[in-house]
Amino acid sequence: MEEKRPSLEGLVDNIDPRASSDVQEELPKYEQVQEPAPLPLQEKLITCFWIALNTFSTLGLIFLSKRVFSDEQLHACQLMVVMWHFTATGLVLFVASRGSFRAFKAIRLNPWDMLPVCAFFAGYVVLGNLSLTYNSIGFYQLSKVMTTPCVVLINFVLFRKTVTRYMLAAIFATCIGVSFTINEAAKTQLFGVIIATLAFCSTALYQIWIGKKIEDFGVSAPQLLLNQAPISVLLLIPFVPFFDKIPDLSIVPTNIMFSVCASGVMASLYNLSQFLIIGRTSALTFNIVSHLKTIMILSIGWYSEGKILSSREWFGVALALGGGWVYSHLALKAKQQRK
């Protein structure tokens, strides 16, 4: 039985406003959270295309660069090959920022402010190429997994940034896994192991540095890279006479020269597709794509080299990839919770 109330301020007698449909229609309603509209099929296909292009360009860049550096003359042209990759990347990014593409808006930064960034950029790429030259493709790719533990260590030492114990356990598993493969490789290619270590350490420093500079300059990654590429080429020119030998291109096989040209195209496509994937998808999607590429590169590299892994190496690879996967998942989850 409804409660009876006296009339107050024109309110109708004996009517509970909660039971009145007319009054309920006038009451404010909470906004309903709308589900995001599903992506059109065309958008899904475009995203899949960029993911496929990124995977293809990554594989192409690694295997073409390995082929280029297998030539006796080009083996001594590390800096010039890197300069070609930077030039191709700059040209593709410039075209992508113009006309009907408009993938991003090009801006000009102060070259003097860019010098330290460009020097670091050139250094880590050169070391990466040296690691690819003196190591097998499988070991080169697996050693790159150590970049993440190195980033965590540097952040702790320099900025006292800590991670959870579960993240630390995943990092520890990654280090143990890579150490199993390093022990096998060090027996025959100690110099390659040293170069690989310098390569992933420099990569970790670059990642930390570049993250800070993107924030300081207030730019996106492609905007910064478009400024970096030409300046990095100019920075490397004075070092070419001291570290490189000018090759006699007339005796370089045609297929090797084709690989040189194609590697520059692959480098530019890799950088462009990487930015577009990050922009069109989530960080988790890009992370999954990266891990799948690692597995593909390892598999194809070992198959092409005819390498048969020992049980110790299989366990090390599984431990390293598993630890990297778990850490990435935990890091992305923590980032989402902070947001």
Side-chain angles (χ1 to χ4, degrees):
M1 184 176 182
E2 293 179 353
E3 178 185 359
K4 304 296 183 180
R5 299 185 303 180
S7 297
L8 292 173
E9 301 293 334
L11 188 64
V12 181
D13 282 351
N14 304 326
I15 297 180
D16 189 339
R18 293 171 294 180
S20 172
S21 60
D22 294 336
V23 177
Q24 279 186 347
E25 290 178 359
E26 297 176 1
L27 293 176
K29 296 181 179 179
Y30 292 104
E31 292 186 3
Q32 298 294 327
V33 179
Q34 296 182 350
E35 295 291 333
L39 286 175
L41 178 61
Q42 182 180 0
E43 289 295 315
K44 293 180 179 179
L45 292 176
I46 293 174
T47 301
C48 290
F49 168 77
W50 287 117
I51 291 176
L53 181 62
N54 181 260
T55 304
F56 171 74
S57 59
T58 303
L59 293 170
L61 178 59
I62 290 176
F63 287 93
L64 286 170
S65 296
K66 186 69 174 178
R67 187 180 188 184
V68 168
F69 294 133
S70 66
D71 182 80
E72 185 177 351
Q73 291 202 76
L74 297 181
H75 180 83
C77 298
Q78 298 281 339
L79 297 185
M80 285 187 281
V81 172
V82 170
M83 288 165 59
W84 159 237
H85 289 175
F86 287 168
T87 302
T89 298
L91 289 174
V92 170
L93 288 175
F94 179 78
V95 172
S97 66
R98 293 290 188 272
S100 57
F101 296 101
R102 292 290 179 182
F104 63 94
K105 182 180 179 180
I107 63 172
R108 181 175 295 179
L109 299 174
N110 188 337
W112 293 109
D113 294 336
M114 291 294 300
L115 283 178
V117 182
C118 295
F120 226 110
F121 179 52
Y124 107 85
V125 174
V126 170
L127 283 171
N129 280 349
L130 284 172
S131 175
L132 182 59
T133 302
Y134 290 100
N135 293 301
S136 65
I137 291 175
F139 181 74
Y140 158 81
Q141 187 64 27
L142 194 60
S143 66
K144 291 174 64 177
V145 177
M146 286 296 294
T147 301
T148 298
C150 195
V151 168
V152 173
L153 178 62
I154 293 172
N155 273 327
F156 175 75
V157 173
L158 297 181
F159 308 109
R160 288 294 181 263
K161 292 184 179 180
T162 58
V163 296
T164 66
R165 61 187 178 199
Y166 298 109
M167 290 182 182
L168 194 61
I171 291 172
F172 183 72
T174 301
C175 296
I176 294 297
V178 174
S179 70
F180 287 165
T181 61
I182 288 178
N183 286 339
E184 296 294 326
K187 297 176 182 177
T188 57
Q189 47 189 32
L190 180 60
F191 182 73
V193 172
I194 294 173
I195 292 295
T197 303
L198 292 174
F200 70 70
C201 288
S202 63
T203 302
L205 286 169
Y206 175 74
Q207 288 183 0
I208 295 172
W209 178 268
I210 208 65
K212 184 177 184 303
K213 287 303 175 183
I214 287 176
E215 183 178 342
D216 292 344
F217 294 148
V219 296
S220 64
Q223 288 173 331
L224 186 64
L225 184 58
L226 182 56
N227 283 269
Q228 279 181 224
I231 299 176
S232 298
V233 173
L234 295 176
L235 283 177
L236 289 176
I237 290 176
F239 297 96
V240 170
F242 300 98
F243 295 97
D244 283 9
K245 294 181 180 179
I246 306 300
D248 184 359
L249 299 181
S250 61
I251 63 174
V252 176
T254 304
N255 61 339
I256 297 295
M257 290 303 301
F258 173 78
S259 297
V260 173
C261 297
S263 66
V265 176
M266 291 297 172
S268 58
L269 292 178
Y270 165 76
N271 288 312
L272 180 61
S273 59
Q274 177 174 267
F275 299 139
L276 291 173
I277 290 174
I278 295 174
R280 299 178 68 89
T281 65
S282 65
L284 178 60
T285 300
F286 181 76
N287 186 262
I288 292 173
V289 171
S290 298
H291 282 290
L292 292 177
K293 288 192 299 184
T294 297
I295 295 173
M296 290 178 63
I297 293 168
L298 288 173
S299 302
I300 297 174
W302 288 329
Y303 176 79
S304 63
E305 296 164 358
K307 181 177 177 60
I308 300 177
L309 298 182
S310 65
S311 57
R312 176 189 177 91
E313 288 177 311
W314 273 119
F315 178 71
V317 170
L319 199 59
L321 294 180
W325 183 286
V326 171
Y327 174 82
S328 300
H329 175 74
L330 294 175
L332 288 172
K333 186 177 180 181
K335 185 176 181 180
Q336 291 172 352
Q337 288 177 346
R338 287 196 299 269
K339 287 183 178 181

